[in-house]
């Protein structure tokens, strides 16, 4: 099952449309989930909050209904149901997704502060849910023919590589694997360029990191990139024109803390496509 969290925002509807397409390709069922305060979800039969609870439930049902309509327009043959989840949206969605294959959310909801590009729910579940999380801002305007994955060579990153290969095979698109080897150093500026031997070693590391997943997905065409620069700028540029950017939730070296730190937050905010955050196996 794929679970998509919706809240009535435009980004939530875009996430529902993306999840519907993904469910259709995978042959998976889809659940549309909306979180609301626990006291309102319990349907109190009397008391001063009864009318407020009723109003909140009706609003929640309207939000879910709008998302179901969007899904019906996008992929009418997908098996879909809905759920109203009690409690904080981040905790409720992560709990609901414990047995899911994928959790999809919009990058920004109706709450929060104007000008923030990534909402608290997206930041709260990305890298923390038990399953892969896809954060969607807007759907690409055209059919993009590549997927990008950030690779650091760590064991934890292997799950992101495998997910990226599987998605590229599923969507029948090319995979671009990017390794960034030069970053900012203390005091500002960039590290000195690596020697030819060092760069050859990095290219060999990247090829090795891809080898196992490549054997399982021989149909996927792969382009390898070893780039010196700042991880945010390099991977953001690589994601331009992509249908999906895939990153691991934990890493090492230049990509360490990719999701939980400033680099990951920047990619969630500024990547030119939906971002998939993959936990280690």
């Amino acid at each position: 099952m794929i679970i998509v969290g919706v809240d009535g925002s435009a980004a939530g509807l875009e996430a529902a449309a993306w999840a519907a397409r993904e469910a259709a390709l995978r042959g998976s069922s889809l659940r549309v989930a909306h979180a609301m305060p626990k006291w309102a979800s319990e349907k109190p039969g009397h008391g001063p909050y009864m009318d407020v609870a009723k109003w909140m439930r009706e609003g929640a049902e309207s939000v879910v209904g709008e998302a179901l309509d969007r899904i019906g327009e996008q992929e009418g043959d997908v098996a879909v149901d809905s759920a109203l989840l009690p409690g904080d949206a981040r905790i409720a969605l992560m709990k609901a997704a414990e047995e899911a294959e994928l959790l999809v959310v919009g990058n920004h909801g109706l709450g929060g502060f104007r000008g923030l590009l990534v909402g608290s729910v997206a930041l709260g579940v990305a890298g923390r849910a038990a399953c892969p999380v896809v954060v969607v801002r807007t759907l690409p305007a055209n059919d993009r023919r590549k997927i990008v994955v950030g690779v650091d060579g760590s064991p934890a990153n292997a799950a992101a590589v495998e997910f990226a290969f599987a998605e590229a095979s599923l969507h029948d698109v090319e995979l671009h694997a990017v390794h960034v080897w030069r970053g900012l150093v203390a005091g500002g500026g960039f590290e000195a360029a690596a020697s030819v031997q060092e760069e050859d070693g990095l290219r060999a590391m990247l090829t090795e990191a891809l080898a196992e997943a490549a054997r399982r997905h021989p149909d996927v065409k792969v382009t390898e990139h070893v780039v010196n620069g700042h991880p945010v700028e390099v991977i953001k540029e690589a994601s331009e024109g992509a249908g999906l950017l895939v990153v691991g939730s934990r890493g090492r070296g230049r990509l360490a803390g990719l999701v939980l730190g400033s680099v990951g937050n920047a990619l969630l905010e500024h990547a030119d496509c939906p971002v998939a955050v993959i936990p280690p196996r």
Side-chain angles (χ1 to χ4, degrees), residues 35 40 51 119 152 231-232:
D51 291 339
D152 65 8
V232 173

Side-chain angles (χ1 to χ4, degrees), residues 147-171:
I147 287 173
V148 175
V149 58
V151 182
D152 65 8
S154 69
N157 188 240
V161 171
E162 173 62 32
F163 182 91
F165 267 90
E167 284 292 292
S169 178
L170 185 67
H171 290 263

Side-chain angles (χ1 to χ4, degrees), residues 39-177:
W39 62 267
S41 67
E42 292 175 346
K43 302 182 179 181
H46 57 82
Y49 299 109
M50 181 179 65
D51 291 339
V52 176
K54 180 182 178 182
W55 172 76
M56 294 188 73
R57 288 196 304 275
E58 290 174 348
E61 290 165 358
S62 176
V63 166
V64 170
E66 187 178 11
L68 292 174
D69 290 342
R70 176 68 182 273
I71 290 167
E73 297 170 359
Q74 181 87 15
E75 299 288 346
D77 295 333
V78 172
V80 58
D81 64 14
S82 62
L84 297 181
L85 308 177
D88 179 273
R90 294 160 294 188
I91 297 173
L93 285 172
M94 285 192 290
K95 184 176 180 180
E98 286 177 352
E99 302 300 326
E101 59 181 307
L102 195 64
L103 172 61
V104 184
V105 295
N107 75 309
H108 199 268
L110 296 174
F113 296 94
R114 184 178 300 275
L116 294 180
L117 300 181
V118 181
S120 60
V121 173
L123 288 176
V125 300
R128 295 175 176 84
C131 67
V133 175
V134 175
V135 179
V136 179
R137 178 164 62 248
T138 57
L139 295 178
N142 56 344
D143 188 18
R144 300 185 173 189
R145 304 301 299 168
K146 71 174 181 177
I147 287 173
V148 175
V149 58
V151 182
D152 65 8
S154 69
N157 188 240
V161 171
E162 173 62 32
F163 182 91
F165 267 90
E167 284 292 292
S169 178
L170 185 67
H171 290 263
D172 190 23
V173 297
E174 185 174 338
L175 178 63
H176 287 240

